Amino acid sequence: MNLKERIAKVPRKGWIAAGIWCTLYIAFVIWLAWDDAKSLGWLVLLPLIADVFTTKYINWSWWKKYKPAAKGEPENPHAKPGLYTLCSWIDAIVFALVAVYFINLYMFQNYQIPSSSLEKSLRVGDFLFVSKMSYGARVPNTPLSMPLMQHTWPEWLGGGKSYIDKPHWDYKRLRGWAKPEKGDIVVFNFPAGDTVCLKMQNPDYYTLCHYYGKQAVTHRKDVFGDIVVRPVDRRENYVKRCVGEPGDSLKVINNIVFTRSGETAGWQEEPTREGVQLNYIVRTDGHLLTKSYLDKIGISHDDQHQIEPGLYHFPLTEAMKAELAKNPHVTGIDVEPETAGGAVYPLGQTDWTRDNYGPIYIPRKGDKLLITVDNYPIYRRIAEAYEFKSMRIGEEYEFAMDYYWMQGDNRHNSADSRYWGFVPEDHIVGRPVFIWLSIEKDKPWFKGHIRWNRLGKGASN
């Protein structure tokens, strides 16, 4: 059968399906090529997409000839039931994986809150719908990867990398609706996750080297494990709140964040959100604060730490602190000492602390900064690890990307920019939109295991 005859036999539903899929593909290519006309070359695949639903000039479903005859139909001499069933499963699985791959890569992905760094804004056990189109989806650095696996196969499948290093594509972000702004909750790849000790991934490699020495970390594989290097899109996903934009200066004074835009602008205190928590030392007259009482106030089981009789350690919001202060048995509530926070970025180079930090300038693309002995430790990592350029003291350095400052709302229980520095724009993954499921692991199934009041709640503020 020639092409003309095939076209004549295409049913109306085939043309409708082809029209829908071709329109979607053209829209995707236009989005891909918005800032890069070379990507229009992907339109060369358009005839193949149309052929799948219309002429079927390419025999896409060759395996269907092995389908056994149904009851009442003439016997199929080519029937091979086993081969037909196997190919049917492969066809369905491949289609599902390809669909999931593109949806997860360019549109949205699921993200589960693993730690308490954003309590009480986002809770451990919240499952988020993360939009990648909000800030513009990234073209993958490592396009050959297994969908839904960030960097490693599950142990029951042997572990090891779930992606192939080559081909490796340079950073490119498609057109989005906005850029991260102060106050946004943002999902991003962990900047210090480029180098990882497989047996001890928390704290990060650079913090381990600071405390134990690089030689010990490198040679003690029995303690730290093998050291691997990961591309940007295969680093762990983190979620924090953006508190500083490109071009801002930022400082933290007694746990309060201040920012300013420009050299002559005044410092502005960032609003303290309802969910912001700090760690406190709580004293009682010896009375026991029961788990049920602390649970009622909102202190999770994992955060209910009793140091000794009459002495407790809790993360509290202002509302929780006020509620606890009403207890007649509570004799004191003092904020945790800032020395408990450990070393901050740049490690070992300043006298800054977790609670009193900066001031620090957050680079903007195209900015030129004179590198001095004082600021070299702050910006060296940008040149070496993110932009792969040289930086010398006494010379101007021009930044190639925008950078952001991210902090957790649970200020004393958050590994954030205060510990590992700036978040480059090429690490930005997306913006959480809403919570589609929320689970309280400390409660039974029919007594609060699912937090029904959080389902459908917005997750970006």
Side-chain angles (χ1 to χ4, degrees), residues 76-100:
N76 179 8
H78 303 290
K80 294 182 180 179
L83 181 60
Y84 174 78
T85 301
L86 176 62
C87 290
S88 296
W89 277 101
I90 293 174
D91 180 72
I93 292 172
V94 170
F95 178 81
L97 288 176
V98 171
V100 168

Side-chain angles (χ1 to χ4, degrees), residues 243 250-259 267-273 276 278 318 354-358 407 411-412 418:
V243 297
L250 176 144
K251 64 181 177 181
V252 180
I253 301 177
N254 295 328
N255 294 299
I256 298 174
V257 177
F258 295 83
T259 61
W267 290 97
Q268 299 293 321
E269 179 180 340
E270 292 302 306
T272 301
R273 297 178 179 272
V276 169
L278 300 175
E318 283 298 317
R354 173 194 64 185
D355 301 349
N356 290 277
Y357 190 95
Q407 290 188 198
R411 293 289 164 81
H412 287 171
R418 292 169 296 174

Side-chain angles (χ1 to χ4, degrees), residues 388-415:
F388 307 105
K389 298 192 299 183
S390 62
M391 176 181 286
R392 295 182 178 87
I393 294 174
E395 297 181 359
E396 278 193 338
Y397 183 88
E398 183 174 352
F399 296 97
M401 285 192 288
D402 284 333
Y403 290 84
Y404 298 87
W405 197 260
M406 306 288 184
Q407 290 188 198
D409 289 352
N410 196 358
R411 293 289 164 81
H412 287 171
N413 293 311
S414 175

